[in-house]
Amino acid sequence: MELNAHIDHTLLKSTATEKEIIKLCNEAITYNFHSVCVNSCYIPIAKQVLKETPVGICTVVGFPLGAMSTQAKIYEAKQAIENGATEIDMVMNIGFLKSRNYVAVLKDINDVKSAIGAIPLKVILEISELSKNEIVRACEICIDAKADFVKTSTGFSGSGATLTAVKIMKKTVKGQAKIKASGGIRSYASALKYFEAGVDRIGTSASVAMMNNQNLKVAN
């Protein structure tokens, strides 16, 4: 498969500089990645570098905790789109989920999705903080809210993506939403395993290393 076309080339650390974002965007052009994933303050720079290329701009909303108000998430998402974002990765309100306030979780996601319309919405579950049953419930809520993707992790909490969680997510969504895996996926071999498990997109900061080593045997 053309792995590069399914990668969100990611740089979300708080210390990321303008120079590093420009480098990230140029790498995405060189390797034909699906998108770059950057914090929203860097969308204008990414838009300038990526103009007249097919590379998209993904940004995060409610990141990394997901605990801000729905109104704040909506404003952040709409502002990001106005500035040039083509996809939104939103963090679910994990505290509401653990409180079993499923109506509030649903409303949070649904309201953001309604506000951004046709722009793809990926909902980050933060699987390291959830039990198996909570992962299932979170995925069910995302489907009800018409999210386009369910995403494993922010990469800023716990262990990141796991194949076990992806398999649970895949079984739950039953093709009604796509799956993005992120957090700790740093080799071509591991990326392939996630795609074999059913993910549609991978978010990683190790994208270039993956592409440069894609001809190595998976067993290595």
Side-chain angles (χ1 to χ4, degrees), residues 70-160:
T70 300
Q71 290 75 17
K73 290 178 179 177
I74 289 171
Y75 180 84
E76 189 178 6
K78 291 175 75 173
Q79 188 67 43
I81 293 165
E82 184 177 324
N83 289 339
T86 57
E87 296 185 350
I88 299 293
D89 286 20
M90 163 194 170
V91 186
M92 173 181 282
N93 192 312
I94 303 163
F96 282 169
L97 185 75
K98 286 188 166 292
S99 299
R100 298 186 179 181
N101 189 350
Y102 303 135
V103 172
V105 179
L106 174 65
K107 186 177 187 304
D108 189 48
I109 300 167
N110 185 71
D111 285 0
V112 173
K113 180 57 183 173
S114 295
I116 67 174
I119 298 293
L121 177 67
K122 310 186 197 87
V123 180
I124 306 171
L125 310 186
E126 203 68 282
I127 58 166
S128 64
E129 306 299 324
L130 305 180
S131 68
K132 176 182 177 180
N133 287 340
E134 287 171 335
I135 293 172
V136 170
R137 192 70 185 97
C139 288
E140 290 172 343
I141 292 170
C142 287
I143 292 168
D144 289 342
K146 302 189 186 309
D148 300 280
F149 283 76
V150 287
K151 177 179 171 182
T152 59
S153 323
T154 61
F156 286 78
S157 177
S159 60

Side-chain angles (χ1 to χ4, degrees), residues 192-213:
L192 283 181
K193 290 179 181 178
Y194 278 96
F195 282 113
E196 289 167 0
V199 306
D200 302 277
R201 194 85 62 79
I202 281 178
T204 180
S205 59
S207 320
V208 172
M210 280 186 188
M211 301 316 299
N212 288 339
N213 289 280

